[in-house]
Amino acid sequence: VQLVESGGGWVQVGGSLRLSCVASGLTFADSAIGWFRQAPGKEHKEVSCINNRDGSALYADAVKGRFSIFSDNSKNTVYLQMNSLEVNDTAVYYCGAGQTCRTLLHVGRGTQVTVSS
């Protein structure tokens, strides 16, 4: 399984970014793909996850109403649309894949998101 993230960068508070995760080596429609993040000196935290079998999605409380996750099965790609970004959203964002949102056993290399005031 290979996961490649992209779309990170620098943005000011209130701005938006869209992260992409391209997955290969798995049955995309029969998988769950999620995003988690790790800020400097802190543990990684779950951000969002989508079950590609039924399109159901989960969000961490910290991002509800600001982030949205969606899949394009034709491109084996999951997107994380991030709006109203805050300084606390600064982190390396990783894409994970597995059979369920609780078992994201495969992880990409991450993409850096920096939000400045």
Side-chain angles (χ1 to χ4, degrees):
V1 176
Q2 185 176 16
L3 303 169
V4 180
E5 303 99 331
S6 63
W10 176 89
V11 66
Q12 290 187 314
V13 169
S16 297
L17 285 173
R18 177 178 291 185
L19 306 183
S20 300
C21 173
V22 180
S24 59
L26 51 72
T27 304
F28 188 82
D30 193 32
S31 69
I33 295 184
W35 291 91
F36 59 97
R37 65 189 182 187
Q38 187 167 24
K42 297 186 178 180
E43 295 183 352
H44 72 267
K45 293 185 177 181
E46 295 176 344
V47 175
S48 182
C49 186
I50 186 166
N51 185 330
N52 286 322
R53 298 175 189 85
D54 61 10
S56 58
L58 303 172
Y59 296 94
D61 288 343
V63 306
K64 282 181 180 177
R66 299 189 298 121
F67 291 11
S68 62
I69 190 169
F70 56 99
S71 289
D72 184 338
N73 284 15
S74 68
K75 297 181 179 179
N76 278 21
T77 301
V78 169
Y79 302 93
L80 184 68
Q81 177 67 41
M82 307 187 296
N83 298 327
S84 302
L85 283 162
E86 304 169 353
V87 172
N88 288 340
D89 294 319
T90 296
V92 178
Y93 283 70
Y94 298 90
C95 171
Q99 284 295 304
T100 73
C101 285
R102 295 299 180 191
T103 56
L104 301 179
L105 301 178
H106 307 284
V107 181
R109 292 188 174 186
T111 184
Q112 175 71 47
V113 171
T114 302
V115 185
S116 63
S117 58

